[in-house]
mmCIF file of all heavy atoms in Angstrom:
data_model
loop_
_atom_site.group_PDB
_atom_site.id
_atom_site.type_symbol
_atom_site.label_atom_id
_atom_site.label_comp_id
_atom_site.label_asym_id
_atom_site.label_seq_id
_atom_site.Cartn_x
_atom_site.Cartn_y
_atom_site.Cartn_z
ATOM 1 N N GLN A 1 -120.799 153.150 142.081
ATOM 2 C CA GLN A 1 -119.761 152.304 142.600
ATOM 3 C C GLN A 1 -119.140 151.432 141.499
ATOM 4 O O GLN A 1 -119.800 151.026 140.560
ATOM 5 C CB GLN A 1 -120.378 151.366 143.704
ATOM 6 C CG GLN A 1 -120.877 152.105 144.903
ATOM 7 C CD GLN A 1 -121.444 151.155 145.958
ATOM 8 O OE1 GLN A 1 -120.817 150.144 146.306
ATOM 9 N NE2 GLN A 1 -122.638 151.461 146.429
ATOM 10 N N THR A 2 -117.848 151.191 141.664
ATOM 11 C CA THR A 2 -117.178 150.356 140.663
ATOM 12 C C THR A 2 -117.514 148.893 140.859
ATOM 13 O O THR A 2 -118.003 148.477 141.890
ATOM 14 C CB THR A 2 -115.640 150.523 140.788
ATOM 15 O OG1 THR A 2 -115.244 150.121 142.097
ATOM 16 C CG2 THR A 2 -115.247 151.985 140.562
ATOM 17 N N SER A 3 -117.226 148.083 139.837
ATOM 18 C CA SER A 3 -117.492 146.665 139.900
ATOM 19 C C SER A 3 -116.627 145.995 140.947
ATOM 20 O O SER A 3 -116.991 144.865 141.375
ATOM 21 C CB SER A 3 -117.319 146.000 138.532
ATOM 22 O OG SER A 3 -115.994 146.225 138.058
ATOM 23 N N ARG A 4 -115.551 146.606 141.342
ATOM 24 C CA ARG A 4 -114.734 146.036 142.411
ATOM 25 C C ARG A 4 -115.492 145.993 143.725
ATOM 26 O O ARG A 4 -115.230 145.103 144.570
ATOM 27 C CB ARG A 4 -113.459 146.879 142.577
ATOM 28 C CG ARG A 4 -112.493 146.370 143.629
ATOM 29 C CD ARG A 4 -111.241 147.227 143.665
ATOM 30 N NE ARG A 4 -110.371 146.855 144.781
ATOM 31 C CZ ARG A 4 -109.234 147.457 145.116
ATOM 32 N NH1 ARG A 4 -108.839 148.489 144.333
ATOM 33 N NH2 ARG A 4 -108.524 147.093 146.134
ATOM 34 N N PHE A 5 -116.442 146.895 143.910
ATOM 35 C CA PHE A 5 -117.127 146.992 145.195
ATOM 36 C C PHE A 5 -118.653 146.708 145.099
ATOM 37 O O PHE A 5 -119.309 146.571 146.117
ATOM 38 C CB PHE A 5 -116.882 148.380 145.796
ATOM 39 C CG PHE A 5 -115.473 148.626 146.162
ATOM 40 C CD1 PHE A 5 -114.617 149.298 145.349
ATOM 41 C CD2 PHE A 5 -114.961 148.115 147.365
ATOM 42 C CE1 PHE A 5 -113.293 149.519 145.694
ATOM 43 C CE2 PHE A 5 -113.650 148.328 147.701
ATOM 44 C CZ PHE A 5 -112.798 149.014 146.859
ATOM 45 N N ALA A 6 -119.209 146.729 143.857
ATOM 46 C CA ALA A 6 -120.664 146.447 143.742
ATOM 47 C C ALA A 6 -120.972 145.883 142.384
ATOM 48 O O ALA A 6 -120.329 146.246 141.387
ATOM 49 C CB ALA A 6 -121.424 147.773 143.934
ATOM 50 N N LYS A 7 -121.919 144.945 142.358
ATOM 51 C CA LYS A 7 -122.264 144.269 141.131
ATOM 52 C C LYS A 7 -123.546 144.891 140.541
ATOM 53 O O LYS A 7 -124.213 145.748 141.133
ATOM 54 C CB LYS A 7 -122.459 142.784 141.322
ATOM 55 C CG LYS A 7 -121.168 142.147 141.898
ATOM 56 C CD LYS A 7 -119.965 142.392 141.011
ATOM 57 C CE LYS A 7 -118.689 141.793 141.569
ATOM 58 N NZ LYS A 7 -117.472 142.218 140.753
ATOM 59 N N GLU A 8 -123.943 144.376 139.340
ATOM 60 C CA GLU A 8 -125.158 144.863 138.682
ATOM 61 C C GLU A 8 -126.351 144.768 139.604
ATOM 62 O O GLU A 8 -126.564 143.751 140.276
ATOM 63 C CB GLU A 8 -125.410 144.000 137.438
ATOM 64 C CG GLU A 8 -126.605 144.451 136.607
ATOM 65 C CD GLU A 8 -126.872 143.527 135.427
ATOM 66 O OE1 GLU A 8 -126.902 142.286 135.680
ATOM 67 O OE2 GLU A 8 -127.130 144.005 134.312
ATOM 68 N N GLY A 9 -127.131 145.820 139.607
ATOM 69 C CA GLY A 9 -128.370 145.857 140.417
ATOM 70 C C GLY A 9 -128.220 146.179 141.892
ATOM 71 O O GLY A 9 -129.127 145.991 142.664
ATOM 72 N N TYR A 10 -127.035 146.724 142.263
ATOM 73 C CA TYR A 10 -126.781 146.930 143.684
ATOM 74 C C TYR A 10 -127.701 147.974 144.313
ATOM 75 O O TYR A 10 -127.780 148.027 145.565
ATOM 76 C CB TYR A 10 -125.316 147.342 143.898
ATOM 77 C CG TYR A 10 -124.920 148.589 143.173
ATOM 78 C CD1 TYR A 10 -125.000 149.822 143.776
ATOM 79 C CD2 TYR A 10 -124.428 148.549 141.875
ATOM 80 C CE1 TYR A 10 -124.618 151.009 143.113
ATOM 81 C CE2 TYR A 10 -124.040 149.705 141.159
ATOM 82 C CZ TYR A 10 -124.121 150.915 141.835
ATOM 83 O OH TYR A 10 -123.758 152.042 141.138
ATOM 84 N N GLN A 11 -128.398 148.783 143.559
ATOM 85 C CA GLN A 11 -129.287 149.771 144.135
ATOM 86 C C GLN A 11 -130.727 149.306 144.400
ATOM 87 O O GLN A 11 -131.505 149.987 144.970
ATOM 88 C CB GLN A 11 -129.323 151.029 143.251
ATOM 89 C CG GLN A 11 -127.959 151.668 143.113
ATOM 90 C CD GLN A 11 -128.061 153.202 142.724
ATOM 91 O OE1 GLN A 11 -129.054 153.833 143.013
ATOM 92 N NE2 GLN A 11 -127.054 153.689 142.080
ATOM 93 N N GLU A 12 -131.028 148.092 143.906
ATOM 94 C CA GLU A 12 -132.440 147.628 143.971
ATOM 95 C C GLU A 12 -132.989 147.603 145.398
ATOM 96 O O GLU A 12 -134.149 147.899 145.622
ATOM 97 C CB GLU A 12 -132.527 146.224 143.341
ATOM 98 C CG GLU A 12 -132.331 146.280 141.837
ATOM 99 C CD GLU A 12 -132.385 144.891 141.200
ATOM 100 O OE1 GLU A 12 -133.136 144.012 141.730
ATOM 101 O OE2 GLU A 12 -131.697 144.652 140.188
ATOM 102 N N ALA A 13 -132.159 147.210 146.331
ATOM 103 C CA ALA A 13 -132.634 147.132 147.748
ATOM 104 C C ALA A 13 -133.075 148.455 148.275
ATOM 105 O O ALA A 13 -133.866 148.529 149.224
ATOM 106 C CB ALA A 13 -131.565 146.522 148.650
ATOM 107 N N TYR A 14 -132.555 149.530 147.690
ATOM 108 C CA TYR A 14 -132.878 150.883 148.194
ATOM 109 C C TYR A 14 -133.989 151.532 147.430
ATOM 110 O O TYR A 14 -134.753 152.341 147.989
ATOM 111 C CB TYR A 14 -131.610 151.772 148.100
ATOM 112 C CG TYR A 14 -130.449 151.176 148.850
ATOM 113 C CD1 TYR A 14 -129.491 150.400 148.219
ATOM 114 C CD2 TYR A 14 -130.272 151.344 150.221
ATOM 115 C CE1 TYR A 14 -128.367 149.875 148.894
ATOM 116 C CE2 TYR A 14 -129.226 150.815 150.929
ATOM 117 C CZ TYR A 14 -128.274 150.072 150.231
ATOM 118 O OH TYR A 14 -127.217 149.531 150.905
ATOM 119 N N THR A 15 -134.136 151.229 146.126
ATOM 120 C CA THR A 15 -135.132 151.926 145.285
ATOM 121 C C THR A 15 -136.403 151.124 145.099
ATOM 122 O O THR A 15 -137.373 151.621 144.495
ATOM 123 C CB THR A 15 -134.481 152.231 143.909
ATOM 124 O OG1 THR A 15 -134.105 150.993 143.280
ATOM 125 C CG2 THR A 15 -133.259 153.137 144.054
ATOM 126 N N GLY A 16 -136.448 149.910 145.584
ATOM 127 C CA GLY A 16 -137.540 149.014 145.318
ATOM 128 C C GLY A 16 -138.891 149.475 145.816
ATOM 129 O O GLY A 16 -139.945 149.084 145.302
ATOM 130 N N PHE A 17 -138.923 150.319 146.840
ATOM 131 C CA PHE A 17 -140.164 150.743 147.431
ATOM 132 C C PHE A 17 -140.906 151.819 146.672
ATOM 133 O O PHE A 17 -142.095 152.047 146.848
ATOM 134 C CB PHE A 17 -139.959 151.273 148.874
ATOM 135 C CG PHE A 17 -139.364 152.653 148.878
ATOM 136 C CD1 PHE A 17 -140.189 153.781 149.006
ATOM 137 C CD2 PHE A 17 -137.958 152.869 148.787
ATOM 138 C CE1 PHE A 17 -139.637 155.055 149.002
ATOM 139 C CE2 PHE A 17 -137.451 154.147 148.820
ATOM 140 C CZ PHE A 17 -138.263 155.238 148.893
ATOM 141 N N VAL A 18 -140.222 152.525 145.764
ATOM 142 C CA VAL A 18 -140.736 153.766 145.198
ATOM 143 C C VAL A 18 -142.038 153.516 144.460
ATOM 144 O O VAL A 18 -143.022 154.289 144.585
ATOM 145 C CB VAL A 18 -139.666 154.439 144.315
ATOM 146 C CG1 VAL A 18 -140.266 155.704 143.683
ATOM 147 C CG2 VAL A 18 -138.410 154.762 145.125
ATOM 148 N N LYS A 19 -142.099 152.483 143.652
ATOM 149 C CA LYS A 19 -143.320 152.218 142.857
ATOM 150 C C LYS A 19 -144.546 151.958 143.704
ATOM 151 O O LYS A 19 -145.707 152.198 143.265
ATOM 152 C CB LYS A 19 -143.074 151.031 141.932
ATOM 153 C CG LYS A 19 -142.277 151.295 140.692
ATOM 154 C CD LYS A 19 -143.008 152.174 139.691
ATOM 155 C CE LYS A 19 -144.243 151.419 139.110
ATOM 156 N NZ LYS A 19 -145.052 152.326 138.241
ATOM 157 N N SER A 20 -144.341 151.592 144.953
ATOM 158 C CA SER A 20 -145.477 151.269 145.835
ATOM 159 C C SER A 20 -146.094 152.547 146.380
ATOM 160 O O SER A 20 -147.236 152.472 146.952
ATOM 161 C CB SER A 20 -145.045 150.398 146.981
ATOM 162 O OG SER A 20 -144.141 151.104 147.869
ATOM 163 N N VAL A 21 -145.476 153.679 146.261
ATOM 164 C CA VAL A 21 -145.997 154.916 146.837
ATOM 165 C C VAL A 21 -146.302 156.013 145.794
ATOM 166 O O VAL A 21 -146.638 157.140 146.162
ATOM 167 C CB VAL A 21 -145.092 155.482 147.931
ATOM 168 C CG1 VAL A 21 -145.051 154.486 149.115
ATOM 169 C CG2 VAL A 21 -143.731 155.761 147.403
ATOM 170 N N THR A 22 -146.189 155.709 144.515
ATOM 171 C CA THR A 22 -146.523 156.676 143.488
ATOM 172 C C THR A 22 -147.044 155.949 142.231
ATOM 173 O O THR A 22 -146.626 154.813 141.966
ATOM 174 C CB THR A 22 -145.294 157.539 143.069
ATOM 175 O OG1 THR A 22 -145.668 158.457 142.059
ATOM 176 C CG2 THR A 22 -144.148 156.700 142.596
ATOM 177 N N THR A 23 -147.925 156.640 141.508
ATOM 178 C CA THR A 23 -148.406 156.088 140.239
ATOM 179 C C THR A 23 -147.590 156.605 139.085
ATOM 180 O O THR A 23 -147.816 156.180 137.937
ATOM 181 C CB THR A 23 -149.870 156.447 140.048
ATOM 182 O OG1 THR A 23 -150.019 157.860 139.864
ATOM 183 C CG2 THR A 23 -150.748 155.994 141.162
ATOM 184 N N LYS A 24 -146.679 157.547 139.350
ATOM 185 C CA LYS A 24 -145.915 158.120 138.273
ATOM 186 C C LYS A 24 -144.782 157.187 137.849
ATOM 187 O O LYS A 24 -144.302 156.376 138.594
ATOM 188 C CB LYS A 24 -145.350 159.469 138.718
ATOM 189 C CG LYS A 24 -146.440 160.514 139.038
ATOM 190 C CD LYS A 24 -147.338 160.762 137.836
ATOM 191 C CE LYS A 24 -148.484 161.706 138.121
ATOM 192 N NZ LYS A 24 -148.049 163.084 138.182
ATOM 193 N N PRO A 25 -144.271 157.358 136.616
ATOM 194 C CA PRO A 25 -143.167 156.491 136.162
ATOM 195 C C PRO A 25 -141.929 156.651 137.006
ATOM 196 O O PRO A 25 -141.644 157.764 137.511
ATOM 197 C CB PRO A 25 -142.919 156.971 134.728
ATOM 198 C CG PRO A 25 -144.152 157.646 134.318
ATOM 199 C CD PRO A 25 -144.763 158.256 135.537
ATOM 200 N N VAL A 26 -141.212 155.555 137.206
ATOM 201 C CA VAL A 26 -140.002 155.552 138.009
ATOM 202 C C VAL A 26 -138.833 155.053 137.170
ATOM 203 O O VAL A 26 -138.945 154.026 136.456
ATOM 204 C CB VAL A 26 -140.173 154.641 139.266
ATOM 205 C CG1 VAL A 26 -138.868 154.551 140.040
ATOM 206 C CG2 VAL A 26 -141.274 155.177 140.120
ATOM 207 N N VAL A 27 -137.706 155.764 137.231
ATOM 208 C CA VAL A 27 -136.487 155.283 136.606
ATOM 209 C C VAL A 27 -135.445 155.154 137.658
ATOM 210 O O VAL A 27 -135.354 155.959 138.604
ATOM 211 C CB VAL A 27 -136.038 156.297 135.464
ATOM 212 C CG1 VAL A 27 -135.789 157.684 136.030
ATOM 213 C CG2 VAL A 27 -134.797 155.768 134.771
ATOM 214 N N GLY A 28 -134.613 154.135 137.518
ATOM 215 C CA GLY A 28 -133.504 153.907 138.436
ATOM 216 C C GLY A 28 -132.360 153.267 137.711
ATOM 217 O O GLY A 28 -132.504 152.813 136.580
ATOM 218 N N VAL A 29 -131.223 153.186 138.389
ATOM 219 C CA VAL A 29 -129.985 152.681 137.763
ATOM 220 C C VAL A 29 -129.420 151.558 138.604
ATOM 221 O O VAL A 29 -129.867 151.285 139.728
ATOM 222 C CB VAL A 29 -128.922 153.819 137.611
ATOM 223 C CG1 VAL A 29 -129.424 154.878 136.689
ATOM 224 C CG2 VAL A 29 -128.568 154.427 138.978
ATOM 225 N N GLY A 30 -128.425 150.860 138.016
ATOM 226 C CA GLY A 30 -127.748 149.767 138.686
ATOM 227 C C GLY A 30 -126.676 149.137 137.802
ATOM 228 O O GLY A 30 -126.380 147.971 137.942
ATOM 229 N N ARG A 31 -126.183 149.920 136.846
ATOM 230 C CA ARG A 31 -125.217 149.457 135.877
ATOM 231 C C ARG A 31 -125.736 148.194 135.151
ATOM 232 O O ARG A 31 -125.040 147.196 134.969
ATOM 233 C CB ARG A 31 -123.857 149.184 136.572
ATOM 234 C CG ARG A 31 -122.653 149.231 135.584
ATOM 235 C CD ARG A 31 -121.333 149.347 136.274
ATOM 236 N NE ARG A 31 -121.169 148.357 137.326
ATOM 237 C CZ ARG A 31 -120.821 147.096 137.120
ATOM 238 N NH1 ARG A 31 -120.612 146.664 135.874
ATOM 239 N NH2 ARG A 31 -120.680 146.287 138.137
ATOM 240 N N TYR A 32 -126.971 148.316 134.648
ATOM 241 C CA TYR A 32 -127.631 147.222 133.998
ATOM 242 C C TYR A 32 -127.132 147.022 132.555
ATOM 243 O O TYR A 32 -127.153 147.981 131.762
ATOM 244 C CB TYR A 32 -129.145 147.420 133.970
ATOM 245 C CG TYR A 32 -129.769 147.455 135.358
ATOM 246 C CD1 TYR A 32 -130.384 148.641 135.846
ATOM 247 C CD2 TYR A 32 -129.730 146.356 136.210
ATOM 248 C CE1 TYR A 32 -130.948 148.693 137.104
ATOM 249 C CE2 TYR A 32 -130.291 146.410 137.461
ATOM 250 C CZ TYR A 32 -130.868 147.575 137.922
ATOM 251 O OH TYR A 32 -131.405 147.624 139.156
ATOM 252 N N THR A 33 -126.697 145.820 132.248
ATOM 253 C CA THR A 33 -126.292 145.494 130.857
ATOM 254 C C THR A 33 -127.061 144.259 130.313
ATOM 255 O O THR A 33 -127.041 144.028 129.147
ATOM 256 C CB THR A 33 -124.794 145.193 130.810
ATOM 257 O OG1 THR A 33 -124.477 144.102 131.659
ATOM 258 C CG2 THR A 33 -123.957 146.442 131.227
ATOM 259 N N SER A 34 -127.748 143.543 131.230
ATOM 260 C CA SER A 34 -128.466 142.353 130.808
ATOM 261 C C SER A 34 -129.894 142.659 130.472
ATOM 262 O O SER A 34 -130.635 143.159 131.392
ATOM 263 C CB SER A 34 -128.398 141.315 131.934
ATOM 264 O OG SER A 34 -129.389 140.317 131.721
ATOM 265 N N PRO A 35 -130.417 142.348 129.291
ATOM 266 C CA PRO A 35 -131.795 142.585 129.003
ATOM 267 C C PRO A 35 -132.739 141.749 129.838
ATOM 268 O O PRO A 35 -133.861 142.142 130.116
ATOM 269 C CB PRO A 35 -131.915 142.272 127.524
ATOM 270 C CG PRO A 35 -130.763 141.434 127.202
ATOM 271 C CD PRO A 35 -129.652 141.873 128.127
ATOM 272 N N ASP A 36 -132.315 140.569 130.242
ATOM 273 C CA ASP A 36 -133.140 139.699 131.090
ATOM 274 C C ASP A 36 -133.363 140.375 132.463
ATOM 275 O O ASP A 36 -134.467 140.332 132.988
ATOM 276 C CB ASP A 36 -132.451 138.360 131.308
ATOM 277 C CG ASP A 36 -132.398 137.543 130.020
ATOM 278 O OD1 ASP A 36 -133.370 137.514 129.272
ATOM 279 O OD2 ASP A 36 -131.300 136.968 129.762
ATOM 280 N N THR A 37 -132.314 141.011 132.992
ATOM 281 C CA THR A 37 -132.479 141.734 134.236
ATOM 282 C C THR A 37 -133.437 142.921 134.068
ATOM 283 O O THR A 37 -134.269 143.173 134.909
ATOM 284 C CB THR A 37 -131.105 142.249 134.735
ATOM 285 O OG1 THR A 37 -130.265 141.104 134.948
ATOM 286 C CG2 THR A 37 -131.240 143.000 136.064
ATOM 287 N N MET A 38 -133.291 143.610 132.935
ATOM 288 C CA MET A 38 -134.155 144.744 132.664
ATOM 289 C C MET A 38 -135.622 144.331 132.610
ATOM 290 O O MET A 38 -136.484 145.004 133.205
ATOM 291 C CB MET A 38 -133.773 145.396 131.354
ATOM 292 C CG MET A 38 -132.358 145.942 131.295
ATOM 293 S SD MET A 38 -131.940 146.537 129.637
ATOM 294 C CE MET A 38 -130.183 146.852 129.783
ATOM 295 N N VAL A 39 -135.888 143.248 131.945
ATOM 296 C CA VAL A 39 -137.272 142.711 131.864
ATOM 297 C C VAL A 39 -137.780 142.380 133.241
ATOM 298 O O VAL A 39 -138.956 142.669 133.599
ATOM 299 C CB VAL A 39 -137.360 141.523 130.910
ATOM 300 C CG1 VAL A 39 -138.691 140.841 130.990
ATOM 301 C CG2 VAL A 39 -137.092 141.990 129.462
ATOM 302 N N ARG A 40 -136.947 141.696 134.047
ATOM 303 C CA ARG A 40 -137.355 141.331 135.390
ATOM 304 C C ARG A 40 -137.773 142.552 136.195
ATOM 305 O O ARG A 40 -138.774 142.529 136.908
ATOM 306 C CB ARG A 40 -136.228 140.597 136.081
ATOM 307 C CG ARG A 40 -136.511 140.322 137.556
ATOM 308 C CD ARG A 40 -135.321 139.583 138.206
ATOM 309 N NE ARG A 40 -134.091 140.338 138.264
ATOM 310 C CZ ARG A 40 -133.828 141.346 139.114
ATOM 311 N NH1 ARG A 40 -134.703 141.665 140.013
ATOM 312 N NH2 ARG A 40 -132.653 141.960 139.046
ATOM 313 N N LEU A 41 -137.004 143.626 136.111
ATOM 314 C CA LEU A 41 -137.293 144.858 136.834
ATOM 315 C C LEU A 41 -138.618 145.482 136.472
ATOM 316 O O LEU A 41 -139.364 146.000 137.297
ATOM 317 C CB LEU A 41 -136.149 145.844 136.681
ATOM 318 C CG LEU A 41 -134.797 145.441 137.317
ATOM 319 C CD1 LEU A 41 -133.685 146.365 136.787
ATOM 320 C CD2 LEU A 41 -134.885 145.594 138.821
ATOM 321 N N ILE A 42 -138.922 145.458 135.170
ATOM 322 C CA ILE A 42 -140.186 146.002 134.695
ATOM 323 C C ILE A 42 -141.356 145.114 135.140
ATOM 324 O O ILE A 42 -142.322 145.603 135.686
ATOM 325 C CB ILE A 42 -140.165 146.122 133.162
ATOM 326 C CG1 ILE A 42 -139.016 147.001 132.655
ATOM 327 C CG2 ILE A 42 -141.528 146.682 132.657
ATOM 328 C CD1 ILE A 42 -139.071 148.433 133.149
ATOM 329 N N LYS A 43 -141.224 143.815 134.983
ATOM 330 C CA LYS A 43 -142.339 142.926 135.292
ATOM 331 C C LYS A 43 -142.613 142.840 136.778
ATOM 332 O O LYS A 43 -143.793 142.697 137.183
ATOM 333 C CB LYS A 43 -141.997 141.526 134.727
ATOM 334 C CG LYS A 43 -142.141 141.463 133.201
ATOM 335 C CD LYS A 43 -142.026 139.984 132.733
ATOM 336 C CE LYS A 43 -142.276 139.899 131.233
ATOM 337 N NZ LYS A 43 -142.186 138.501 130.743
#
């Protein structure tokens, strides 16, 4: 989605559950440009 219709991290509400049901590494997107946001997602 373009920034006109969605901001950074707009997919988090949909992908947030995945880590709770698998031990395997998970990668996701959200047009992330802020390292602080990246760290938050990992932690």
Side-chain angles (χ1 to χ4, degrees):
Q1 295 181 48
T2 61
S3 58
R4 180 176 173 184
F5 295 97
K7 301 306 178 185
E8 182 185 46
Y10 59 92
Q11 297 203 27
E12 291 178 30
Y14 303 96
T15 60
F17 76 94
V18 179
K19 282 290 294 175
S20 69
V21 294
T22 180
T23 65
K24 297 302 177 76
V26 175
V27 59
V29 296
R31 204 166 49 80
Y32 298 115
T33 60
S34 164
D36 294 318
T37 301
M38 298 174 190
V39 169
R40 173 181 62 80
L41 292 166
I42 302 299
K43 286 187 173 181

